[in-house]
Amino acid sequence: MADVPIEHDQPPRPSKKWSSTWEHFSKILGDPVNLQAICHHCGQLCGCHSKKQGTSLLIAHLNGCQRYKTVKELAATGIDQTKLSYETQMAIDGGRSHVKKLIIPQYSENMLRELLTEMIITDEIPFTIVDKKSFNKFVRTLEPRFPMPSQYTVICEIV
């Protein structure tokens, strides 16, 4: 019996590595044969059985998840808080009940600049509109992150 190693003399068994992907998903309790996880960003269900899919399906979902990409882009720009809004839709049953859906709006400075120049051209608005205090206040209320270009910048973009 003296030759049998004692348990506490052996180094501890290394634990399984935990994927950082699980920061974005939660396992759903249910069928142990078809394990699923729910995305914290969009609510999509994904298979996560350790022998069938592992975390590769979860990683593939994150690469295509638009809401995750939005959060990731905002984190890269240093903006701490995401603007949220709700879109109201009629319920599927056709009744009078409404369903509110959470929306994270996309912000694109280039898109807003293009829309501004399109508005100026289409509606024949003078270039000086971008220097008006009331117009700037209006735009800041709609989108505080948008830096208003000067009238000369708008002219250069159009020409």
Side-chain angles (χ1 to χ4, degrees), residues 49-110:
H49 193 279
S50 62
K51 303 293 184 203
K52 295 178 183 176
Q53 297 98 358
T55 56
S56 59
L57 192 60
L58 304 179
I59 293 168
H61 170 75
L62 277 181
N63 289 334
C65 182
Q66 291 301 315
R67 292 192 178 175
Y68 170 69
K69 288 179 181 179
T70 301
V71 170
K72 191 175 174 182
E73 287 172 9
L74 289 173
T77 59
I79 297 171
D80 297 355
Q81 195 169 7
T82 304
K83 287 186 167 189
L84 301 176
S85 62
Y86 289 95
E87 177 181 276
T88 304
Q89 297 176 339
M90 291 299 289
I92 298 173
D93 63 2
R96 294 183 182 213
S97 59
H98 294 279
V99 177
K100 287 193 174 184
K101 180 180 176 184
L102 184 65
I103 295 181
I104 302 173
Q106 297 287 331
Y107 170 73
S108 170
E109 185 178 328
N110 291 335

Side-chain angles (χ1 to χ4, degrees), residues 22-152:
W22 286 108
E23 293 174 7
H24 307 283
F25 292 89
S26 294
K27 280 188 181 179
I28 296 177
L29 300 175
D31 185 9
V33 177
N34 294 319
L35 289 175
Q36 290 191 321
I38 187 166
C39 176
H40 294 172
H41 304 286
C42 69
Q44 176 80 26
L45 293 175
C46 300
C48 64
H49 193 279
S50 62
K51 303 293 184 203
K52 295 178 183 176
Q53 297 98 358
T55 56
S56 59
L57 192 60
L58 304 179
I59 293 168
H61 170 75
L62 277 181
N63 289 334
C65 182
Q66 291 301 315
R67 292 192 178 175
Y68 170 69
K69 288 179 181 179
T70 301
V71 170
K72 191 175 174 182
E73 287 172 9
L74 289 173
T77 59
I79 297 171
D80 297 355
Q81 195 169 7
T82 304
K83 287 186 167 189
L84 301 176
S85 62
Y86 289 95
E87 177 181 276
T88 304
Q89 297 176 339
M90 291 299 289
I92 298 173
D93 63 2
R96 294 183 182 213
S97 59
H98 294 279
V99 177
K100 287 193 174 184
K101 180 180 176 184
L102 184 65
I103 295 181
I104 302 173
Q106 297 287 331
Y107 170 73
S108 170
E109 185 178 328
N110 291 335
M111 179 190 70
L112 292 175
R113 288 182 97 149
E114 288 173 12
L115 289 171
L116 176 65
T117 55
E118 180 184 327
M119 179 186 77
I120 289 173
I121 293 169
T122 306
D123 297 336
E124 299 177 358
I125 299 172
F127 295 118
T128 56
I129 187 77
V130 296
D131 293 330
K132 303 287 184 187
K133 288 182 182 180
S134 59
F135 183 72
N136 278 292
K137 182 179 178 182
F138 175 71
V139 172
R140 270 196 314 275
T141 303
L142 293 175
E143 182 53 73
R145 297 174 286 180
F146 181 64
M148 183 61 70
S150 69
Q151 63 176 320
Y152 302 108

